[in-house]
Amino acid sequence: MLDFSTQGADPVPDNEFTTGQVIAITSRPSDVVVADLNGDGKPDTAVTSETDPVVGVTLGKGDGTFAKMLSIPAGQVGSHIVAADLDGDGHVDLATSNHDGTATALWGNGDGTFSRPVSYKVRGDLAVAEAWWLVAADLNGDRALDLVVSIYGSNGPDPSAPGQVAVLLNRGSRTFDNPVFYADRAAVAVVAGDFDSDGKIDIATADFDRTVRVFRGDGTGHLGPAAEYSIDGQGVAIAAGDFNGDSVLDLATGNDGTHSLSVLRGLGEGTFGTSVRFEAGNTHTIALADLNRDGHLDLLAGGFDERFVRFLPGKGDGSFLAEVRIDMGWANARGVAAADFNGDRKLDLAVADNGPTLHVFIGK
């Protein structure tokens, strides 16, 4: 995997972006991810759709522009997407979580094309359930990336509906074990990280019942009982990063219904402090990056009810400066990702919106 960050670049005094290319993509996009999908050293994008069973791939040209979207058959309509080398062949693969309660792997050929999708049932015994988010991480230390999927068993806004986390261990040769389930009521979003600094990957979820649940991993692919932390709204997005420079991972959630973000400071040993609220929209997408290259992690947030992306510059102490709004025109952000698309060592943005378009913003 290539590192598309700008670590080591000289700081710049502003946080401005200019509007770049606007690219037609799949209808009702639900998420976007950035990776080098064709092995040319330039960042590309992949977008899932809530209505079309395809992944939309746009190959980057390295100058801040992208080629016309390629429609990659995905088998199902997707809600979230990750890019990683799942089979260890040196090519980037894609995995999606899907509205029908499945997860799909698309094995990369290294040239921007993908093999026939393979789907895995992750709904378990839940009669009605959607696979909302997923993350790729090595849970058992075998250097093969496993999949963790959050499943929410509701067809409407019911915070008491059953949910679960599904763990699919990677057994190599492009196969995964049958999922192992962990109860997690109203699980919507999921993130992985070593929250207790023991060298083993843990899992955290943002849940629609206003809770973050943290499962500590044992290094063999199993998760322990969940610890629960209250947040300021119905959790629908989550990210992990070190916001205060203490080398301990913190959590940030996007919350529906309360127009807020919640930040939970990592206290070490896998525990977290009381959530701190930051005003926002109904935030359904979060990305973390050092956009202004001051050495502090910043937060990007987009919501279905707002026509801009919020950029909250991190102060390095767990708090944030006043937000900067990146105007989306008439469209709403469905997914946001940051990378250097034009090779100038400044982070740019790709925002999938309900245009349906991929909106590129170039960092100045």
Side-chain angles (χ1 to χ4, degrees):
M1 293 286 290
L2 292 179
D3 180 5
F4 294 124
S5 70
T6 58
Q7 186 175 2
D10 294 332
V12 295
D14 58 61
N15 311 313
E16 296 180 359
F17 294 85
T18 58
T19 300
Q21 187 181 13
V22 179
I23 309 158
I25 55 174
T26 59
S27 64
R28 293 187 62 82
S30 53
D31 194 26
V32 61
V33 69
V34 173
D36 181 9
L37 302 178
N38 60 351
D40 66 355
K42 302 167 186 175
D44 312 305
T45 74
V47 178
T48 46
S49 168
E50 291 183 342
T51 56
D52 297 335
V54 300
V55 169
V57 168
T58 59
L59 298 179
K61 300 179 181 180
D63 60 358
T65 65
F66 294 81
K68 183 179 178 180
M69 188 198 78
L70 304 173
S71 290
I72 307 298
Q76 308 294 336
V77 295
S79 56
H80 196 68
I81 187 168
V82 296
D85 183 5
L86 297 174
D87 56 2
D89 66 352
H91 305 318
V92 176
D93 310 304
L94 298 174
T96 67
S97 50
N98 306 319
H99 289 296
D100 69 343
T102 63
T104 297
L106 295 93
W107 307 104
N109 298 319
D111 58 0
T113 65
F114 295 82
S115 64
R116 185 175 179 179
V118 179
S119 293
Y120 301 85
K121 295 180 180 179
V122 294
R123 190 171 61 191
D125 294 332
L126 298 179
V128 179
E130 297 185 24
W132 287 89
W133 275 39
L134 81 169
V135 64
D138 181 8
L139 295 182
N140 57 358
D142 64 354
R143 299 186 180 182
L145 292 175
D146 312 304
L147 295 178
V148 183
V149 189
S150 55
I151 300 102
Y152 181 22
S154 175
N155 57 2
D158 179 7
S160 66
Q164 58 194 8
V165 170
V167 173
L168 293 83
L169 294 180
N170 191 333
R171 290 309 182 195
S173 301
R174 297 187 170 183
T175 60
F176 290 89
D177 276 352
N178 291 329
V180 175
F181 297 103
Y182 297 85
D184 186 351
R185 188 178 68 192
V188 176
V190 62
V191 69
D194 184 4
F195 302 129
D196 53 7
S197 302
D198 66 351
K200 304 167 185 175
I201 296 298
D202 312 304
I203 298 298
T205 61
D207 297 358
F208 208 69
D209 63 353
R210 297 173 176 249
T211 303
V212 160
R213 291 181 170 87
V214 178
F215 301 81
R216 295 173 67 175
D218 68 357
T220 70
H222 299 92
L223 304 178
E228 298 185 0
Y229 301 88
S230 296
I231 53 176
D232 299 282
Q234 296 160 332
V236 291
I238 192 168
D242 181 7
F243 293 119
N244 58 356
D246 64 355
S247 300
V248 177
L249 287 176
D250 311 303
L251 295 173
T253 67
N255 306 322
D256 190 49
T258 55
H259 298 86
S260 68
L261 297 161
S262 294
V263 173
L264 294 83
R265 178 186 174 188
L267 302 179
E269 299 183 353
T271 61
F272 293 85
T274 302
S275 68
V276 178
R277 176 190 173 103
F278 294 88
E279 295 298 320
N282 287 328
T283 304
H284 287 245
T285 179
I286 288 180
L288 306 180
D290 182 9
L291 288 178
N292 54 4
R293 293 174 299 287
D294 63 356
H296 306 318
L297 201 57
D298 309 315
L299 196 153
L300 288 160
F304 289 1
D305 59 344
E306 296 181 321
R307 296 179 179 179
F308 53 85
V309 173
R310 296 173 187 265
F311 164 35
L312 285 73
K315 296 172 64 176
D317 59 0
S319 64
F320 298 87
L321 298 171
E323 69 178 39
V324 176
R325 295 186 175 184
I326 302 169
D327 185 31
M328 293 288 298
W330 60 270
N332 308 118
R334 296 297 186 107
V336 60
D340 179 9
F341 295 129
N342 59 357
D344 66 353
R345 295 166 60 86
K346 300 175 184 178
L347 285 177
D348 312 306
L349 301 180
V351 184
D353 61 50
N354 64 336
T357 56
L358 185 72
H359 216 129
V360 179
F361 296 91
I362 301 299
K364 293 175 60 177

